Amino acid sequence: MSAHCQLTGAKPGFGNNISHSHRRTSRRFDPNIQRKRYWLPSEGRYIRLTLSAKGIKTIDVIGVEAAVARVRARGVKV
C-alpha cells in the first residue's frame, strides 16, 4: 500500500473519468504522499514515515512524539 498515510490513514479514492462523449473509465484519486525522516529524541534515532501532506502539517502542530504514539496506536510498526 504505497499511497497510504501512516498517521491520518488517507488512502486512494476511486471514481470515473468522464469524457466529452460521456463515456466513463475508472480512475484513482491518490493522496499527496511523501516519505519523511524525523528525529525521535526519546529513542535517539531517526524514523522514516510515509505521510500525506496533511499528516506532515499535523506533525508540525502536535510534535513527532505524539504523532508516533498515534501511529503506533493504529497498529503500524515504526
Side-chain angles (χ1 to χ4, degrees), residues 26-43:
S26 68
R27 63 161 295 177
R28 198 171 128 134
F29 297 92
D30 285 329
N32 185 5
I33 297 294
Q34 312 291 324
R35 286 194 39 95
K36 194 112 166 76
R37 196 176 102 160
Y38 288 100
W39 174 253
L40 196 58
S42 64
E43 297 181 15

Side-chain angles (χ1 to χ4, degrees), residues 29-72:
F29 297 92
D30 285 329
N32 185 5
I33 297 294
Q34 312 291 324
R35 286 194 39 95
K36 194 112 166 76
R37 196 176 102 160
Y38 288 100
W39 174 253
L40 196 58
S42 64
E43 297 181 15
R45 68 184 181 105
Y46 285 99
I47 58 167
R48 191 174 297 275
L49 297 173
T50 305
L51 300 167
S52 62
K54 183 177 179 182
I56 293 171
K57 292 174 189 175
T58 302
I59 290 180
D60 290 343
V61 172
I62 67 172
V64 69
E65 296 287 344
V68 168
R70 283 190 194 180
V71 170
R72 288 182 173 149

Side-chain angles (χ1 to χ4, degrees), residues 15-27 29:
N16 290 307
N17 281 324
I18 302 179
S19 71
H20 182 69
S21 65
H22 219 64
R23 288 179 61 101
R24 289 175 164 90
T25 55
S26 68
R27 63 161 295 177
F29 297 92

